[in-house]
Amino acid sequence: QVQLVESGGGSVQAGGSLRLSCVASAYTSSRRCVGWFRQAPGKEREGVANMYTRNGTVIYTDSVKGRFTLSISEDIPEKPVYLQMNSLKPEDTAMYYCAAGYTPASCTGRPGDYNYRGQGTQVTVSS
């Protein structure tokens, strides 16, 4: 079992930045993909970014391209996963979840396919 813990959420004004962090309890070297997804009140979960760890390719949803960056810190043993969010907009307001996949089927980028996900961290952007 893998536990994921997110941090870094908060409240910012439009145009501001936040960096979300995610730390896994174990098995970081064997994960095939890591990602972030979000869910706003009354809306379905939405994949934000997904990285295929074997080649470093990152896929972003169109609405965050050029503003969000997913990265992994390989020089820290825990290999934390980050989501740098710049130029935030009110429509980015949501609960953000970190996720990890260990099989090919879990790495589609769809929120429900990941093997593990965290409890979420709230991001609120005011206009």
Side-chain angles (χ1 to χ4, degrees):
Q1 192 75 6
V2 176
Q3 292 183 331
L4 302 175
V5 179
E6 305 96 335
S7 62
S11 298
V12 295
Q13 291 191 327
S17 298
L18 285 173
R19 189 177 79 157
L20 306 183
S21 300
C22 173
V23 178
S25 60
Y27 305 113
T28 55
S29 295
S30 55
R31 55 193 179 188
R32 298 179 71 99
C33 64
V34 293
W36 291 88
F37 64 90
R38 64 188 179 187
Q39 187 166 24
K43 295 188 176 181
E44 294 187 354
R45 292 178 299 182
E46 175 189 29
V48 174
N50 182 68
M51 174 189 281
Y52 299 93
T53 57
R54 296 191 176 185
N55 61 19
T57 299
V58 184
I59 306 296
Y60 297 95
T61 192
D62 286 346
S63 62
V64 308
K65 286 180 181 177
R67 301 189 297 122
F68 290 12
T69 303
L70 187 158
S71 63
I72 298 176
S73 183
E74 297 287 351
D75 57 351
I76 298 176
E78 296 81 9
K79 300 186 188 297
V81 180
Y82 302 109
L83 185 68
Q84 178 67 43
M85 306 186 295
N86 299 327
S87 302
L88 283 161
K89 304 175 181 180
E91 51 264 43
D92 294 319
T93 295
M95 185 73 78
Y96 283 72
Y97 299 86
C98 172
Y102 290 77
T103 65
S106 69
C107 292
T108 63
R110 291 191 293 267
D113 289 345
Y114 290 106
N115 296 121
Y116 301 101
R117 56 199 61 83
Q119 294 298 307
T121 184
Q122 178 67 38
V123 171
T124 303
V125 185
S126 58
S127 56

